Amino acid sequence: MHTDALETPYQLLDLDGRLTGSMPSGITDEQLRGWYRMMWLTRFFSNKIVALQRQGRATTWGPLQGQEASAVGMAAPLQPRDWVTGSYREAGAYMTKGLSIAALTYYTRGYATPRELTGEDTRCLPLQIVIATQTLHAVGLAMASKIRNAGEVVVGGCGDGATSEGDFNEALNFAGVFKAPVVMVVVNNGWAISTPRSKQSAAARLAYRGAGFGVPARLVDGNDLLAVFEVVREAVDRARAGDGPTLVETVTYRLGAHTTADDPTRYRSKEEIAYWEVRDPIKRIRQFLFDRNLLDETEDKHLVEEAEAEVARQVEIAHNHATPGPDGFFDHVYQELTPRLQRQRDEFQQLNLGAK
């Protein structure tokens, strides 16, 4: 079903950071500055992991630059009891939900993140590498919440490429049938590795998928932090009230490579990148804060420097943290090992000691 709401992405801030609609209610000045800082933390974190990967100190990484508004905006409306499931490019949503940068950094070393770094339960499932499987996890969590009458809402983030997977469509079908309290956010960044959005679907908008599953859909400017926040907040409120799922498509752009193993110059033009660089989400919200006298040059410089320093500090914590031993793969399956697994671990440790 084509409607005006699905033809033009919903927007509250234009390219110059000017408010084009009504300011979302209930947002404090402190929240605005905090979200702006979180966008910088997200970008600095991503850039740092790229640098570490080049040094052989991190695994292959998918840069996040250009998608900060979508990531922060999708998690900002959530309560502590709510859940987030996402791919590697939703790291900013995890940080907004409360997961530490140290925990995310440790994950990029190739190890399961220890509880000492994750801290309190932020209700973020591990970043998913397998495309679209986190959409099934999101709906499963939401259905469990509904069964338990827990009042929890789940936000599931995925990319445009994930919508071509069966898992995504199966997840939407279950969400629609069982009225699961889930908000599925498709972060449409234009490319699934080197496959352009135009070859993902013949439909003009990925948000059109919602109608086929009886799921209401929204289309939003993914580089507009305020618009993403408002649209996702409305969807979260709707889910919490028992009215079921919503599909949200955020239109954004991946300014960097797909991963550190990718060369985007082979399939993207300089003109395309230049078009999106002027739509940088951080520049847009920065100008908005300046215009409202919530930030000035001195404060901004301090905020940016402090955010970069915080990322560096958290990265050092992660890299100074002990790594698991050879039997570490026994640690993160059960809270307490079954007798059979305990015997296997004991045998493994004896064999490992005997080999030294």
Side-chain angles (χ1 to χ4, degrees):
M1 179 174 63
H2 297 190
T3 66
D4 290 342
L6 295 183
E7 296 301 323
T8 303
Y10 179 69
Q11 185 184 81
L12 287 175
L13 295 178
D14 66 16
L15 299 188
D16 297 317
R18 292 189 297 260
L19 198 62
T20 60
S22 300
M23 182 71 183
S25 63
I27 301 178
T28 67
D29 294 345
E30 201 57 39
Q31 282 179 308
L32 288 170
R33 284 189 291 262
W35 295 340
Y36 174 64
R37 177 179 179 272
M38 186 59 68
M39 290 170 72
W40 273 115
L41 286 171
T42 299
R43 181 166 295 187
F44 283 136
F45 165 72
S46 178
N47 292 345
K48 185 69 172 180
I49 301 304
V50 170
L52 290 172
Q53 193 279 334
R54 301 304 189 209
Q55 299 167 20
R57 300 173 64 199
T59 55
T60 302
W61 178 248
L64 316 174
Q65 186 176 359
Q67 300 185 202
E68 295 87 357
S70 288
V72 174
M74 75 168 70
L78 297 179
Q79 299 177 5
R81 59 177 166 165
D82 297 329
W83 292 83
V84 172
T85 74
S87 72
Y88 44 87
R89 227 179 296 275
E90 276 73 65
Y94 281 51
M95 291 160 59
T96 303
K97 191 64 168 61
L99 191 64
S100 74
I101 294 171
L104 287 166
T105 302
Y106 195 87
Y107 179 80
T108 69
R109 299 180 64 191
Y111 305 115
T113 306
R115 187 177 296 277
E116 308 91 85
L117 295 182
T118 57
E120 64 181 64
D121 185 5
T122 57
R123 302 206 161 188
C124 296
L125 293 194
L127 294 174
Q128 184 55 259
I129 303 300
V130 182
I131 304 302
T133 57
Q134 74 274 16
T135 60
L136 293 171
H137 303 158
V139 175
L141 285 169
M143 290 172 64
S145 173
K146 183 177 180 180
I147 290 170
R148 292 184 293 109
N149 196 28
E152 303 156 354
V153 175
V154 185
V155 166
C158 68
D160 49 291
T163 65
S164 294
E165 295 284 343
D167 287 359
F168 173 82
N169 295 282
E170 291 158 10
L172 274 189
N173 191 47
F174 265 71
V177 169
F178 294 101
K179 296 189 71 173
V182 63
V183 182
M184 201 68 73
V185 181
V186 176
V187 184
N188 177 7
N189 67 16
W191 292 89
I193 311 182
S194 57
T195 302
R197 159 64 186 86
S198 60
K199 293 186 178 180
Q200 290 292 322
S201 172
R205 298 294 183 188
L206 296 173
Y208 291 165
R209 296 283 182 90
F213 298 101
V215 175
R218 294 293 304 275
L219 180 69
V220 61
D221 182 343
N223 286 6
D224 181 345
L225 174 64
L226 296 184
V228 175
F229 169 80
E230 182 174 53
V231 166
V232 174
R233 182 173 65 175
E234 290 176 357
V236 167
D237 290 346
R238 182 175 175 276
R240 206 181 308 279
D243 294 327
T246 303
L247 173 63
V248 176
E249 177 186 353
T250 75
V251 181
T252 182
Y253 192 75
R254 162 171 59 83
L255 288 173
H258 171 67
T259 69
T260 46
D262 174 44
D263 178 9
T265 63
R266 299 179 62 184
Y267 56 84
R268 299 195 310 194
S269 68
K270 293 180 180 178
E271 293 76 16
E272 178 179 317
I273 296 173
Y275 173 86
W276 283 99
E277 282 179 337
V278 299
R279 288 160 172 76
D280 187 312
I282 291 182
K283 292 179 181 177
R284 193 183 303 190
I285 191 64
R286 177 181 184 271
Q287 190 58 53
F288 173 75
L289 295 176
F290 269 62
D291 291 345
R292 293 174 73 90
N293 296 316
L294 297 179
L295 202 64
D296 59 30
E297 291 287 354
T298 301
E299 293 168 333
D300 185 50
K301 183 174 183 293
H302 174 74
L303 182 150
V304 172
E305 290 176 347
E306 185 275 332
E308 188 169 23
E310 176 63 13
V311 168
R313 187 181 73 83
Q314 290 281 322
V315 166
E316 284 303 307
I317 291 173
H319 279 264
N320 288 329
H321 195 85
T323 57
D327 60 340
F329 53 80
F330 288 98
D331 289 337
H332 301 287
V333 180
Y334 297 99
Q335 183 174 358
E336 294 183 8
L337 289 180
T338 63
R340 182 167 179 263
L341 284 176
Q342 186 61 56
R343 290 195 300 271
Q344 290 178 351
R345 183 172 201 165
D346 293 342
E347 182 180 355
F348 179 88
Q349 289 174 334
Q350 291 172 4
L351 291 171
N352 192 52
L353 288 172
K356 292 182 179 178

